[in-house]
Amino acid sequence: MSTISKKICLFGDFGVGKTSLIRQFVESQFSDEYLSTVGVKISRKLLNLSKNDQNNEQNLQLLIWDIEGSNKFKAVAKNYFQGSKGAVIVGDVTQPETLNHLREHIQAFLAVNPQSYIVVALNKSDMIAPEYLENIRKIYQFSNQTNILETYITSAKTGNNVNEIFQTLATHLI
């Protein structure tokens, strides 16, 4: 069984929970302690995926680039997008302005990687009433763009849809 490596970027505004999503996915852990990412932090996770067209399996090592979310870093962030095959773009459902920036983040990423795939994560769903979440997801669906695979309501704290965002992206990368 062979192993292939694929780079994916995880980015969004400052404080939306990017690092927490990665930590939940890679280590199955969550911490309320806030740690700001400076520049970029790279994490790895090995996945075993079954190919749909055959009965054989494929190992995929995700190289997850956690990119700083501050505004002053935006110009430099595009350099980190180079060579990325996919992205998870994160917004915070408790901070509407971060959701309004999602389209801008999508365009910035696709300007560098027009053939890459994107999954949108609307994070911190554990902090908002469930009856509002589906409406928020519909507003930020972006289903009219071919590169965007899905929009998920996520919670790094509870783990809700965290594995799904990475699995969806991984499935399209092999």
Side-chain angles (χ1 to χ4, degrees):
M1 179 180 340
S2 63
T3 299
I4 56 173
S5 292
K6 298 286 182 175
K7 173 183 175 181
I8 64 169
C9 293
L10 199 124
F11 64 101
D13 286 0
F14 179 79
V16 296
K18 300 177 295 290
T19 302
S20 294
L21 285 170
I22 293 170
R23 191 164 185 218
Q24 180 64 255
F25 177 63
V26 174
E27 303 170 13
S28 299
Q29 293 182 356
F30 176 81
S31 172
D32 282 321
E33 183 180 313
Y34 181 74
L35 296 171
S36 180
T37 301
V38 178
V40 66
K41 179 181 187 279
I42 302 171
S43 300
R44 299 171 192 264
K45 172 99 178 203
L46 187 65
L47 301 175
N48 185 283
L49 302 171
S50 297
K51 290 185 180 180
N52 292 340
D53 56 337
Q54 303 162 1
N55 280 340
N56 55 351
E57 296 177 346
Q58 175 71 57
N59 280 334
L60 174 65
Q61 179 171 267
L62 290 180
L63 303 172
I64 307 166
W65 288 48
D66 181 1
I67 299 174
E68 177 180 341
S70 71
N71 286 334
K72 67 177 172 24
F73 195 69
K74 280 186 180 175
V76 180
K78 292 178 182 175
N79 294 328
Y80 289 120
F81 298 164
Q82 293 289 337
S84 183
K85 300 302 178 194
V88 178
I89 300 178
V90 186
D92 178 345
V93 294
T94 69
Q95 298 179 52
E97 68 277 6
T98 70
L99 301 176
N100 293 333
H101 295 153
L102 291 172
R103 190 170 305 282
E104 180 184 323
H105 294 312
I106 291 167
Q107 291 169 346
F109 181 76
L110 291 177
V112 177
N113 298 301
Q115 302 303 313
S116 293
Y117 295 107
I118 294 173
V119 173
V120 177
L122 306 177
N123 199 33
K124 301 188 183 179
S125 63
D126 56 288
M127 299 176 72
I128 196 165
E131 58 267 19
Y132 298 115
L133 292 174
E134 186 54 31
N135 283 339
I136 293 170
R137 192 185 71 76
K138 284 179 185 173
I139 292 168
Y140 297 99
Q141 187 59 30
F142 306 107
S143 57
N144 59 335
Q145 292 185 255
T146 55
N147 301 70
I148 300 178
L149 302 174
E150 187 63 66
T151 298
Y152 287 98
I153 298 292
T154 63
S155 170
K157 186 173 190 173
T158 67
N160 182 46
N161 283 330
V162 173
N163 286 336
E164 287 79 357
I165 60 176
F166 291 100
Q167 285 291 145
T168 296
L169 202 50
T171 301
H172 283 81
L173 294 180
I174 59 168

